[in-house]
Amino acid sequence: MNHNYIVMYIYASLKSISVNWMYIVSNLMFPVSLMIVVGILSQGKLLPFALVGGLISITAMSGVNSIAYLASLRFDFLYRDLVVTTKTTKMDYMFAHLLGEFVWVVPSIAFYFILDVIYGLLTPYTFLMTLLLACMVSISSYSIAFWITSRIKHTRNAWPIGTVLSLLLITVSPTFYPYTYLPKYILDILTILPTTPAVVLAQGIFGLTPSLPIQWYMLPILFVETAAYLLIAVYTTQWVEK
Amino acid sequence: MIEARNLDKKYGNDTHAVRSISFTLDKKITSIIGQNGAGKTTLLRILSTQLLPTSGTASINGYDIIKDAARIREIAVSIPQESRPIYWFSPTILIMLYLGARGMGLRESRRAADKAIKKVGLWDSRDKMAAELSGGMKRKIFVAMALASDADIIFLDEPTTGLDPLSRIQIWSAIRSMKGQVIITTHYMEEAQALSDDVLMMNKGRVLSQGSVKELLKPFEGMVRVESKMRRRRSHKVGDTWISYVKKGKAESFVMEGDIIKSITLDDLFIKEGVNLES
């Protein structure tokens, strides 16, 4: 593994934060506006759900946003062509960009943790579990983004796919409302989206929904999904052109 | 040294970009010349392990481009024609990123990037965002990447396309200072003439001829090119101009009013082969 590239990409991301700080703010916009809408419509009742789900959705958004970013690196900057002819493998490339993107999400995650503290939701246990869930959602959503980017033909295709994916991962999946609102079969279908098992588990961990066995099935499901999306991305992405 | 045997590349059923070509490149700087669509970029992409050939083989310093692709990526650098710098990174960061991709550590890459940036004349702009740089400066970032890599083989696909004359000369001098074997593609004949020890002429996926500029121009020794608006004996039509080749001494008696006499360049190889040049 070329860890030098991974370190360098994280370094490059950190160095460019000062000129791209608006990107951090834009990462927050979608979950925060949904949180406000949900909070107002439910007269505050669903606000804790939006706070917990918001944190998960921030990491999912980071993956979704990478579709356009990765597509632009591939088609507009031809950056991938440049990297293909080096010792960097597609796995290195993927991890470097995943972690490089994650750098941009850290301030938003911190923002949500602060909100969770203010609302008295955060304990050391919920903090660690949420971090674990956020990491898995980040890996799986980024893997989906990486796989999609290798399949599309133009940068323009990235935008609508990104929009649909963010709708599925963040709005359709029960990130901002109790999963118990959903009929069982719908929840089963939505489990294919990595945000669903993560948020079902998170709602249970934070004590927002009654403790049910289904919540604990979600942890192995999320593990398996994360591994599956990662493997699909790594093994089915065409790196050297035929 | 680069050796290709019956290298062939087809895209689907329609496009035959490289047609079973064989050659050996062992000089310090080789220019692959040809008009747009001649197959230069495809050839470079195959040799730099970016694209798989349909058939045939090629080796770089004894390493097979398919079986030993990983080894080739360690010893060779390839700068694609249309690569653009990620505009929110600075030249220093971009070069360091590239060196990191080649496996260099943070400190070592910083040192190498600084050295290369000085050499290509980007020092004053090293920490600016790439978006703020001119086209020539952006191109220099990629040349600096190749310089800083200190590779044995350097592939540069049209490194000076679209640049002003001054920037081109600066890039030429950076190319000359590279330690490894350099392969560039270009459709600027004066660039090939100014830089190359060896020239590979391509047209429609085939190699037309290969040799030093002097060798290639030998058939034109002692001749000049006469461009005329009227058809002359044994002249070639390029656009609306008729081109004839005459002995230097006879040129005065051959020309008519409005004719232009020009020195022989690599362009004339293509004109002789009946290729309509764009440059």
Side-chain angles (χ1 to χ4, degrees), chain B residues 213-231:
Chain B
V213 173
K214 203 174 168 188
E215 282 165 358
L216 292 175
L217 295 182
K218 204 162 174 91
F220 296 93
E221 217 169 48
M223 298 180 108
V224 287
R225 181 167 88 204
V226 178
E227 292 179 5
S228 177
K229 290 290 166 204
M230 281 164 56
R231 186 176 187 164

Side-chain angles (χ1 to χ4, degrees), chain A residues 141-188:
Chain A
S141 59
Y142 190 83
S143 300
I144 295 169
F146 194 75
W147 183 80
I148 288 172
T149 313
S150 75
R151 290 286 181 280
I152 58 176
K153 301 279 178 211
H154 311 285
T155 310
R156 273 193 79 162
N157 295 349
W159 305 327
I161 293 172
T163 309
V164 170
L165 203 62
S166 65
L167 184 81
L168 290 171
L169 286 172
I170 294 157
T171 317
V172 175
S173 178
T175 39
F176 287 84
Y177 59 93
Y179 75 89
T180 46
Y181 282 12
L182 291 170
K184 174 80 171 61
Y185 75 97
I186 298 273
L187 186 67
D188 288 343

